[in-house]
Amino acid sequence: MTPRAALRDPKQDRSRATRQRLLEAAVACLAEHGWARSTVAVVAERAGVSRGAAQHHFPTREDLFTAAVQHVAEERSAALRALLSHERRERREQQDQHGQRGQRGQREPRGPGRVAEVVEALVDLYTGPLFRAALQLWVVASYEEQLGARVAALEARIGRETHRMAVEALGADESVPGVRESVQGFLDMARGLGLANLLTDDRARRDRVVAQWARILDDVLRAPG
C-alpha cells in the first residue's frame, strides 16, 4: 500500500462518491425531465441517497444545479478531448503506414471518409444526453440570474474548445479564406440538430444533413488556398 493510499479517508471517499452520484443524477434528471420536475428530492432519489444527504452537499437547489453546470461542462470537455485523442492516434498510424510523419504542427486535410467520421462524431456529441442536459441549463439560465452568468461563461469556453478541436480533428487550415467560417457553420448546424433532436429523433433526415455537411467541408478543406 502506498503512503498516499494509506492516508486516504474512507469517509471522504464516500462523500466524493455521493457528490458525484448527485451531479450525475442532476444532469440525467435535467435531460429527461427538464428543470421544473428536477427537484432536489427527485435528484436524491435518482442518486440513491436521502434528501438530507443531498442537502448536506448542496444546501439549495441552485447550489446543486450550479455545480451541475460545471459538471456538464467538464464532461463535455472530456468527450471532446477523447475524440481529439482518437483522431491524433488515427493520424499517427496513417502517417506511420505511409512513412510520412509530418512536421510538428503541420495540418493535413483528411480524406472524404475521415472527414465524414469526424463530422459524425462531433454531431453525436451534440445529440447525446450531455448536450440535452446543457440545453435545459441554457433555458433555465435565461431567466435564473444565479445560473445565467456561469452558464454563459462555461458555454463560451466550451465553444472555443470545440472549435479548436474540430479544426485540429479535421486537419483544417484556418488561414485559407472561408475555412474558419465553414467549420463554425458546421458546428452551428450540429447545435441545431441537437435542438431538433429534443422534439423528434428523425435519424434518416439527420444522416442526410450530416452527409451533405461532410461533403461541403471536404470540398472546402481541399480547395487551394
Side-chain angles (χ1 to χ4, degrees):
M1 180 181 295
T2 65
R4 179 174 293 181
L7 292 173
R8 289 177 62 178
D9 185 342
K11 288 185 179 179
Q12 290 183 350
D13 287 345
R14 288 196 296 272
S15 179
R16 282 191 290 267
T18 298
R19 189 178 190 278
Q20 181 71 12
R21 290 204 305 275
L22 284 165
L23 290 175
E24 291 173 354
V27 172
C29 286
L30 273 176
E32 295 175 15
H33 307 307
W35 170 257
R37 294 170 57 195
S38 296
T39 63
V40 173
V42 168
V43 171
E45 182 178 0
R46 175 77 176 242
V49 304
S50 68
R51 181 170 180 170
Q55 290 178 321
H56 171 74
H57 287 275
F58 306 104
T60 69
R61 188 186 190 205
E62 287 72 22
D63 290 334
L64 172 59
F65 286 99
T66 297
V69 170
Q70 181 68 46
H71 180 69
V72 168
E74 290 170 356
E75 289 294 302
R76 289 171 64 197
S77 292
L80 286 167
R81 286 192 295 270
L83 171 62
L84 186 55
S85 177
H86 172 74
E87 288 302 316
R88 285 169 176 163
R89 283 197 306 273
E90 291 283 335
R91 177 185 292 187
R92 285 196 298 268
E93 290 172 3
Q94 211 169 50
Q95 290 172 339
D96 286 342
Q97 286 175 3
H98 295 88
Q100 297 174 341
R101 181 64 65 92
Q103 296 179 355
R104 188 173 183 177
Q106 181 179 357
R107 295 197 190 283
E108 299 177 4
R110 299 286 189 259
R114 297 297 299 135
V115 169
E117 287 179 16
V118 173
V119 166
E120 289 167 6
L122 285 165
V123 168
D124 284 345
L125 291 179
Y126 281 107
T127 54
L130 283 175
F131 187 71
R132 286 199 298 275
L135 283 175
Q136 295 289 344
L137 290 169
W138 289 0
V139 173
V140 177
S142 69
Y143 58 82
E144 288 285 343
E145 185 176 350
Q146 186 171 349
L147 290 175
R150 179 164 295 191
V151 170
L154 288 172
E155 281 304 319
R157 192 196 80 198
I158 290 290
R160 291 190 297 269
E161 187 174 7
T162 303
H163 185 98
R164 178 180 63 80
M165 291 185 177
V167 166
E168 182 170 347
L170 289 164
D173 181 356
E174 290 194 298
S175 67
V176 176
V179 169
R180 179 178 178 79
E181 292 76 12
S182 296
V183 173
Q184 190 58 58
F186 157 66
L187 293 174
D188 289 344
M189 180 279 301
R191 290 190 192 93
L193 288 178
L195 180 60
N197 200 51
L198 282 177
L199 302 176
T200 178
D201 184 7
D202 189 352
R203 186 171 298 275
R205 175 180 174 277
R206 184 167 71 241
D207 288 347
R208 291 195 298 273
V209 171
V210 170
Q212 178 61 19
W213 262 100
R215 288 190 288 269
I216 291 170
L217 283 174
D218 184 58
D219 288 344
V220 169
L221 296 177
R222 289 178 176 280

